[in-house]
Amino acid sequence: MDDVARAFVPGHVTGFFTVERDEDPTRTGSTGAGVTLTDGVTVEVRPAAETTIRLNGEDVEMGAVERVLDALSVRATVEGETPLPLGAGFGVSGAMALGTALAANELFETALSENELVTVAHGAEVQAGTGLGDVVAQARGGVPIRLEPGGPHHGKLDAVPARGRIEYVSFGGLDTGEVIEGDVEHLDRPGEEALSEVVRKPTVEQVLYASRRFAREVGLLTEDVRAAIRDVSDDGGEASMAMLGDTVFALGTGLSDAGYDPEVTGIHPGGATLR
Amino acid sequence: MDDVARAFVPGHVTGFFTVERDEDPTRTGSTGAGVTLTDGVTVEVRPAAETTIRLNGEDVEMGAVERVLDALSVRATVEGETPLPLGAGFGVSGAMALGTALAANELFETALSENELVTVAHGAEVQAGTGLGDVVAQARGGVPIRLEPGGPHHGKLDAVPARGRIEYVSFGGLDTGEVIEGDVEHLDRPGEEALSEVVRKPTVEQVLYASRRFAREVGLLTEDVRAAIRDVSDDGGEASMAMLGDTVFALGTGLSDAGYDPEVTGIHPGGATLR
C-alpha cells in the first residue's frame, strides 16, 4: 500500500434544481443544471488508526466524508485543499466526499469501479444532508444537466458542450441542509420549467437565463446577489446565483466588467479524477 | 459566427470487445473495455463552401466525419492533428468524428447537447463501418468499460478509476471494417468472459489481464504483438494488443523495460472536450 493517494474534484455551482426524495439514498437526488469549476478541491488520503478530516489545514466535521470511509471499511486522514469558500454553494462537501472515495479506493485497493465510487459518495452526501446533485455533476465535469435524480445506477445526465471563463463573488454562506430538508415543493414547477428550457436549447447562456428566472421565482435571491445580477445584466453580461450560497457567478468577464473584483476560474473540462 | 472552433478527443485502445448489431445505429455498438490516451486528436473546424477533411496536413476520406457534418446540415473544412498512427487501433476515426461534432456544434451554433453530439458521432462511425465503441469511450475518458452497447441513450458505461503512464509500439495497421463487418460470433464468449472479469475486479491490471486472454483466444494476435506481450510479461510487466491494430500497449514502463523504444503517453483523465 502506498502512503498517500490524491484526487481532484472540480467545484460545482447549481443554477436551478428540484428535490427528489426516495427511501433509497442512491435514488434520492436533484434534477437541474450547473457549472463545474476548475477551482476545485484536491483531496489527499493517508492510512490512519483514527479518522481525521481537515480542510485547508483546519479540523472539520464532514458527515459525508465519514460515511464514505465507513462504506469502504477504512480509517484515514483526509486533507482537502481548496480556494473555494465552504458553505457558499460550490459543492465543497460533495467534492470532499467524492475525492475521498476515489483516493481511498486507490490507497486501500478496494477495487471499486467509478460508478460504484460515485454511488458511495452520492449516497453519503444525501444521508449527511449536505447535498443532492453535486457529486454526480462533479463526476461528469463540464456543464452537467441532471435529467433524472440519483446516483449513476438510477440518475441520468447530459451536459452542455461549453468551455470558457467563469467569475464569482461570494458574499457569505447559506445552510444547504436548512433549504433542502425543508419544504421544497414550491421548487418543482420553476425547476422543471428551467430544465425544459435548457433541454430545448442546451447552451451555457440558456443555463444562466433559466437559472436567473428560477432564482427570482423561488425567492432565494439575497440582496447582494440580486444587485450583482442586475449590475451584470445592465452591462450586457450573464450572471446568476449559486444554489445554495450567497454567491453570484457570471460568464466570461461579466462581474469584472460590472465593476466587481471577482475570483476568476473556468468551466472545468473533465470530471473528478485521481491525481 | 467565429472563424474556427477546436476540440480535443483522446485516443482509445480497446483491449477486448463483443460486436452487437441492431437496425438502429445508435443501438449498435460493442461491449468491452479499453484505455483512453492523452495522445489524441485535435480537430479544427472552419466554415467552407465544400467539405474538405485533412489529417496531419493530408487530404483524407473519412465517411464518419462526412456523416457528422451531414447530420448537422453544415459544410466545413475539418483538420485533424495527431501523433497517433491511423488504422492502428487508436480510435483516430472515432476521434475525428466526435471532435468534428463538438467543434462544428460550437462553430455553427447548432445547440445540441453532449449526449446528442456523441450520438451523432457514434451513429456516423457505425454507419461508416470504421468503429463500434471508440466514440462513447472517448467521450467518457479514463479507462472506460462498455457494459451495454450503443450511443448515450441506449448504452451503459462504467470506468476503472486509474491514472498512469502508458507505452505503445505500433507495427502497422489492421482493417477494422474487415474484422467487425465479418463473422464476429466467435468473439462473444471470450468477450463476455473478459467483461465479467473486469466487472468483478475493476483495476487496470485486470483490464490488461483480461485483454491478453481475449486476444489469445480469438486468434487476432499478430506475430510482432505476440512477441512483445511475451517480452513484457517476462520482464514482469503488463501488455496487450490494441483492438484492432498491429499495436501493443503496456502499463507504466513495461515496453521500455523490455528493451523496446515505445511512444509514451498516459491514461487521459477526462473525455473529449472543446478547446
Side-chain angles (χ1 to χ4, degrees), chain A residues 60-80:
Chain A
V60 291
E61 299 273 319
M62 281 202 156
V65 173
E66 284 167 32
R67 283 169 191 272
V68 166
L69 295 173
D70 286 350
L72 301 181
S73 304
V74 298
R75 295 199 186 90
T77 301
V78 176
E79 301 193 81

Side-chain angles (χ1 to χ4, degrees), chain B residues 48-120:
Chain B
E50 289 302 323
T51 289
T52 318
I53 306 165
R54 281 199 280 270
L55 185 63
N56 290 342
E58 296 193 12
D59 285 355
V60 290
E61 299 273 319
M62 281 202 156
V65 172
E66 284 167 31
R67 283 169 190 272
V68 165
L69 295 173
D70 286 349
L72 301 180
S73 303
V74 298
R75 295 200 186 90
T77 301
V78 176
E79 301 194 81
E81 287 287 334
T82 182
L84 296 169
L86 184 63
F90 292 99
V92 172
S93 62
M96 284 287 283
L98 182 53
T100 298
L102 284 164
N105 178 68
E106 176 76 4
L107 183 68
F108 297 103
E109 297 176 1
T110 39
L112 297 184
S113 75
E114 277 187 11
N115 288 359
E116 289 165 338
L117 294 169
V118 175
T119 299
V120 165

Side-chain angles (χ1 to χ4, degrees), chain B residues 2 22 31 75 77 89 97 110 130 143 162 174 186 235 253:
Chain B
D2 291 335
D22 191 282
T31 70
R75 295 200 186 90
T77 301
T110 39
T130 45
V143 182
L174 287 181
H186 67 291
D235 218 67
T253 53

Side-chain angles (χ1 to χ4, degrees), chain A residues 61-132:
Chain A
E61 299 273 319
M62 281 202 156
V65 173
E66 284 167 32
R67 283 169 191 272
V68 166
L69 295 173
D70 286 350
L72 301 181
S73 304
V74 298
R75 295 199 186 90
T77 301
V78 176
E79 301 193 81
E81 288 286 335
T82 182
L84 297 169
L86 183 63
F90 291 99
V92 172
S93 61
M96 284 287 284
L98 182 53
T100 299
L102 284 164
N105 178 68
E106 176 76 4
L107 183 68
F108 296 103
E109 296 176 1
T110 39
L112 297 184
S113 75
E114 278 188 10
N115 289 359
E116 289 165 338
L117 294 169
V118 175
T119 299
V120 165
H122 172 79
E125 169 101 318
V126 166
Q127 292 188 298
T130 45
L132 291 166

Side-chain angles (χ1 to χ4, degrees), chain B residues 4 9 29 51-53 71-72 101 103 153 169 186 204 206 226 235-236 269 272:
Chain B
V4 59
V9 185
T51 289
T52 318
I53 306 165
L72 301 180
H153 298 293
V169 173
H186 67 291
V204 71
Q206 185 82 344
R226 184 193 307 273
D235 218 67

Side-chain angles (χ1 to χ4, degrees), chain B residues 120-131:
Chain B
V120 165
H122 172 78
E125 169 101 318
V126 166
Q127 291 188 299
T130 45

